Short mmCIF file of all heavy atoms in Angstrom, two decimals:
data_model
loop_
_atom_site.label_atom_id
_atom_site.label_comp_id
_atom_site.label_asym_id
_atom_site.label_seq_id
_atom_site.Cartn_x
_atom_site.Cartn_y
_atom_site.Cartn_z
N GLU A 28 102.60 84.70 88.67
CA GLU A 28 103.37 85.40 89.69
C GLU A 28 102.67 85.38 91.05
O GLU A 28 103.30 85.34 92.10
CB GLU A 28 103.60 86.84 89.24
CG GLU A 28 104.53 87.63 90.10
CD GLU A 28 105.98 87.21 89.99
OE1 GLU A 28 106.37 86.51 89.04
OE2 GLU A 28 106.74 87.58 90.90
N ARG A 29 101.36 85.42 91.02
CA ARG A 29 100.56 85.56 92.24
C ARG A 29 100.87 84.54 93.34
O ARG A 29 101.04 84.91 94.50
CB ARG A 29 99.07 85.54 91.89
CG ARG A 29 98.13 85.65 93.05
CD ARG A 29 98.23 86.98 93.70
NE ARG A 29 97.21 87.10 94.73
CZ ARG A 29 97.08 88.11 95.52
NH1 ARG A 29 97.90 89.13 95.40
NH2 ARG A 29 96.15 88.15 96.42
N PRO A 30 100.96 83.24 93.03
CA PRO A 30 101.15 82.27 94.12
C PRO A 30 102.58 82.17 94.66
O PRO A 30 102.81 81.50 95.66
CB PRO A 30 100.73 80.93 93.49
CG PRO A 30 100.97 81.11 92.04
CD PRO A 30 100.73 82.57 91.75
N LYS A 31 103.54 82.82 94.02
CA LYS A 31 104.93 82.69 94.45
C LYS A 31 105.14 83.37 95.81
O LYS A 31 104.68 84.47 96.04
CB LYS A 31 105.87 83.32 93.43
CG LYS A 31 105.90 82.59 92.11
CD LYS A 31 106.87 83.24 91.17
CE LYS A 31 106.89 82.51 89.85
NZ LYS A 31 107.83 83.15 88.91
N PRO A 32 105.86 82.72 96.71
CA PRO A 32 106.12 83.33 98.02
C PRO A 32 107.02 84.56 97.92
O PRO A 32 107.06 85.36 98.83
CB PRO A 32 106.80 82.21 98.82
CG PRO A 32 107.34 81.28 97.80
CD PRO A 32 106.46 81.39 96.58
N THR A 33 107.70 84.72 96.80
CA THR A 33 108.58 85.87 96.60
C THR A 33 107.90 87.01 95.86
O THR A 33 108.54 87.98 95.49
CB THR A 33 109.83 85.44 95.80
OG1 THR A 33 109.41 84.85 94.56
CG2 THR A 33 110.67 84.46 96.59
N ASN A 34 106.60 86.91 95.65
CA ASN A 34 105.87 87.94 94.92
C ASN A 34 105.86 89.25 95.69
O ASN A 34 105.25 89.36 96.76
CB ASN A 34 104.44 87.47 94.65
CG ASN A 34 103.61 88.53 93.98
OD1 ASN A 34 103.09 89.41 94.64
ND2 ASN A 34 103.50 88.45 92.68
N THR A 35 106.54 90.26 95.16
CA THR A 35 106.62 91.55 95.85
C THR A 35 105.33 92.37 95.70
O THR A 35 105.10 93.28 96.48
CB THR A 35 107.81 92.37 95.33
OG1 THR A 35 107.72 92.48 93.90
CG2 THR A 35 109.12 91.71 95.71
N GLY A 36 104.52 92.02 94.72
CA GLY A 36 103.23 92.71 94.58
C GLY A 36 102.37 92.51 95.81
O GLY A 36 101.61 93.38 96.21
N ARG A 37 102.50 91.37 96.43
CA ARG A 37 101.74 91.08 97.66
C ARG A 37 102.13 92.07 98.76
O ARG A 37 101.29 92.48 99.55
CB ARG A 37 102.01 89.65 98.11
CG ARG A 37 101.34 89.28 99.40
CD ARG A 37 100.41 88.11 99.23
NE ARG A 37 99.89 87.69 100.52
CZ ARG A 37 98.78 88.17 101.06
NH1 ARG A 37 98.09 89.09 100.45
NH2 ARG A 37 98.36 87.74 102.23
N LEU A 38 103.40 92.46 98.81
CA LEU A 38 103.84 93.44 99.80
C LEU A 38 103.14 94.78 99.56
O LEU A 38 102.72 95.45 100.50
CB LEU A 38 105.36 93.63 99.75
CG LEU A 38 106.20 92.40 100.06
CD1 LEU A 38 107.69 92.72 99.88
CD2 LEU A 38 105.92 91.91 101.46
N LEU A 39 103.02 95.15 98.30
CA LEU A 39 102.33 96.39 97.95
C LEU A 39 100.86 96.32 98.34
O LEU A 39 100.30 97.27 98.87
CB LEU A 39 102.49 96.66 96.45
CG LEU A 39 102.00 97.99 95.94
CD1 LEU A 39 102.80 99.14 96.55
CD2 LEU A 39 102.11 98.04 94.43
#
Side-chain angles (χ1 to χ4, degrees):
E28 188 71 17
R29 179 67 174 176
K31 293 182 180 180
T33 56
N34 176 277
T35 54
R37 177 121 174 89
L38 298 176
L39 188 63

